[in-house]
């Protein structure tokens, strides 16, 4: 009998096991039906999983919002908004000015979500905010009841080279149309250094009042692109430097008490008879007014600090 | 003796039925026998009712933007009827909850109404009587039959349930309604009402997928929304029964037109069950089998009627 190395005992054992169970038919470890089921389930689940993964990655990739697409008033932060919005378009339907649009595939905005383009049709800031009332999904915040509290975005005078007011004209259109005029946009008067004899009135946006409605962007008189644009707040604003305390704010909050205590009041040359801190110089005042004659250095007869220097 | 019986049965088969056509090598026209026996109108009764329902619901949404008659606002995802009745797709609410969002009361009430409706009456009634994609995939299926296209490879019918699970997992993982980026069901309906953009591409993709690659591939194998409604249909009321199954002449026409052919066999041929009721939740209760059967084997009944005549 040819001996097979290591085979004899194992074969005997196996024979014995087979005799104990059903004879003749050798059972595989996993029945074929179950094996086929497991194989099928794995491939089906794998295929579906890959498809879902692709969808998930695409969704994550395609959720960036273009800077000119503004969400309706009361919209939660973009991540929460995209978790809630069911894309039913009820806000669009209840917008009386056709401001809101539902994004179509290819618009660059997540397909089916509401947005508006301020240069085309801005938000008219309805007092009853019908878009927020219409939203069933929880994507628009119903705690927003006063439209002036809306923060759809923030207007930024982004092109100072072409803005007519920066060129020295009195266009003022963005300021005039602002629904929160003199609070959200003010005109700040400064000297025009180019002509040296005129003023410039610069439209200046204040984030604590701007709702991001986009009326300014729509009405900017420049052909084509507007010089003032509503941007998403995260783009329009820098982060606050929390580690710098603003002395004037701290002083106001502390009831006029400065954080660093009272400072020593040092006299200012030539302004000795004025209130401390008042540096305005009228005609006939100042060093020129004192020493009418020729330049006479360090010849102050009555003492004091006036050196008599003049430019 | 046996051959003459078989020959007799073959003679009894209508020549353009699926099996008759296969024997004679001609393109099948399922439902021809039913038209001959019952007349065209009765042989298309459920199909016509279904198209009326699908197009009627679509029209209710469209007369608002087109004519200014605001009966229904919104779309199938969420809508408001006559300013009072909110309806919301519970599939979307499920995704929202998975993404960690709690919708407003209106959406919850609307979702509850829709959920109760399909739970009670028939889960996949949505697929065959409401969903606009059904028009697309039915058209692809019809064209496939008319062109005599054979073969193709569809994924397993269970894929949709896995996909449904993954849709919810992905919503939880991304914190967004990720499936709605690509969901052809909501996209087609929204596109018809609010404007398409490039969504035509996705709808066209489904049409050609069903026509050229996978027979009944989308609705019958992949769509997770259909899978969601199928889960609702496990206990629902309306079911098709094959209570005249003794009259079946094996023409195979019902199998050819059925969007979920695997649901027919247990009821018609008593495989794994005794009663003639089609209880499989994948059945969309479209009633097309009732239409195309020349022998009137099928009819619509409730799940409690297990009688056979």
């Amino acid at each position: 009998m040819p001996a097979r190395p290591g085979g004899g005992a194992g074969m005997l054992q196996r024979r014995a096991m087979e005799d104990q169970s059903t004879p003749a038919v050798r059972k595989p470890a996993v029945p074929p039906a179950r094996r086929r089921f497991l194989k099928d389930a794995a491939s089906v689940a794998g295929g579906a999983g890959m498809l879902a993964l692709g969808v998930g990655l695409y969704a994550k990739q395609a959720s960036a919002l273009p800077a000119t697409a503004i969400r309706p008033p009361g919209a939660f932060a973009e991540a929460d908004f995209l978790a809630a919005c069911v894309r039913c378009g009820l806000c669009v339907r209840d917008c009386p000015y056709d401001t809101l649009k539902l994004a179509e595939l290819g618009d660059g905005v997540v397909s089916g979500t509401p947005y508006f383009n301020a240069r085309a049709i801005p938000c008219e800031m309805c007092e009853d905010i019908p878009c927020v009332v219409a939203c069933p999904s929880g994507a628009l915040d119903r705690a927003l009841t006063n439209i002036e509290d809306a923060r759809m975005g923030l207007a930024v005078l982004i092109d100072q080279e072409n803005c007519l007011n920066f060129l020295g004209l009195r266009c003022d259109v963005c300021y005039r149309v602002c629904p929160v005029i003199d609070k959200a946009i003010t005109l700040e008067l400064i000297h025009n250094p180019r002509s040296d004899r005129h003023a410039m009135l610069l439209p200046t946006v204040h984030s604590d009042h701007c709702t991001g409605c986009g009326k300014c962007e729509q009405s900017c008189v420049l052909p084509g692109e507007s010089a003032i644009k509503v941007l998403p707040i995260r783009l329009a604003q820098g982060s606050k430097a929390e580690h710098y305390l603003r002395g004037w704010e701290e002083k106001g909050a502390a009831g006029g008490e400065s954080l660093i205590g009272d400072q020593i009041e040092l006299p200012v040359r030539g302004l000795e008879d004025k209130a401390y801190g008042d540096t305005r110089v009228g005609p006939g005042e100042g060093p020129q007014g004192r020493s009418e004659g020729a330049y006479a250095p360090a010849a102050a007869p009555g003492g004091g600090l006036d050196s008599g220097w003049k430019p | 003796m046996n051959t003459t019986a078989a020959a007799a049965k073959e003679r009894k088969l209508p020549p353009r039925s699926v099996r008759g056509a296969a024997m004679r090598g001609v393109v099948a026209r399922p439902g021809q026998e039913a038209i001959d026996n019952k007349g065209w109108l009765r042989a298309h009764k459920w199909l016509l009712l279904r198209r009326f329902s699908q197009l009627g619901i679509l029209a209710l949404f469209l007369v608002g933007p087109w004519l200014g008659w605001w009966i229904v606002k919104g779309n199938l995802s969420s809508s408001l009827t006559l300013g009072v009745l909110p309806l919301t797709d519970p599939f979307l609410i499920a995704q929202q909850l998975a993404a960690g969002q709690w919708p407003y009361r209106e959406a919850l009430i609307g979702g509850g109404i829709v959920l109760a409706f399909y739970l009670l009456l028939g889960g996949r009634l949505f697929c065959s009587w409401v969903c606009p994609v059904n028009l697309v995939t039915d058209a692809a299926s019809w064209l496939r039959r008319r062109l005599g296209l054979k073969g193709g490879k569809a994924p397993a019918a269970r894929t949709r349930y896995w996909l449904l699970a993954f849709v919810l997992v992905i919503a939880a993982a991304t914190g967004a309604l990720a499936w709605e980026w690509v969901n052809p069901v909501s996209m087609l309906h929204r596109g018809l009402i609010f404007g398409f953009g490039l969504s035509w591409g996705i709808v066209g993709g489904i049409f050609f997928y069903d026509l050229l690659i996978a027979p009944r591939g989308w609705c019958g194998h992949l769509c997770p929304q259909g899978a969601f409604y199928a889960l609702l249909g496990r206990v629902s009321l309306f079911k098709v029964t094959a209570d005249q199954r003794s009259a079946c002449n094996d023409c195979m026409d019902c199998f050819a037109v059925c969007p979920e052919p695997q649901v027919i066999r247990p009821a018609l041929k008593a495989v794994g069950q005794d009663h003639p009721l089609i209880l499989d939740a994948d059945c969309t209760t479209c009633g097309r089998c009732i239409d195309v059967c020349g022998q009137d084997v099928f009819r619509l009944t409730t799940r409690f009627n297990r009688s056979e005549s």
Side-chain angles (χ1 to χ4, degrees), chain B residues 114-244:
Chain B
V114 176
L115 195 75
F117 179 85
Y118 289 112
L119 209 55
L120 290 176
L121 300 184
R124 293 199 70 194
L125 281 179
F126 171 80
C127 299
S128 53
W129 292 77
V130 179
C131 181
V133 175
N134 179 267
L135 291 162
V136 177
T137 57
D138 268 2
S141 183
W142 176 84
L143 192 60
R144 201 180 162 84
R145 281 199 301 274
R146 287 306 291 269
L147 296 177
L149 296 182
K150 296 272 188 283
K153 177 104 178 79
R158 292 185 314 281
T159 311
R160 52 187 147 183
Y161 294 101
W162 283 102
L163 203 50
L164 172 62
F166 283 118
V167 161
L168 299 178
V169 169
I170 288 290
T174 58
L177 308 183
W179 181 247
E180 296 305 309
W181 261 260
V182 292
N183 185 357
V185 176
S186 53
M187 231 173 216
L188 175 57
H189 196 255
R190 191 169 63 230
L192 288 167
I193 296 166
F194 287 93
F196 262 101
L198 302 177
S199 304
W200 280 117
I202 287 188
V203 177
I206 284 186
F207 179 80
F208 287 111
Y209 177 68
D210 268 27
L211 177 67
L212 302 174
I213 300 172
R216 295 285 183 184
W218 177 255
C219 296
H221 299 80
L222 286 178
C223 179
Q225 190 156 350
F228 179 86
Y229 281 98
L231 291 179
L232 296 187
R234 301 189 88 85
V235 293
S236 54
L237 186 63
F238 290 120
K239 296 289 167 189
V240 173
T241 178
D243 64 346
Q244 306 279 344

Side-chain angles (χ1 to χ4, degrees), chain B residues 32-48:
Chain B
Q32 193 59 48
E33 185 197 9
I35 295 173
D36 295 343
N37 289 2
K38 304 191 282 191
W40 191 90
L41 208 59
R42 266 199 64 215
H44 292 83
K45 176 180 149 194
W46 291 101
L47 183 66
L48 290 174

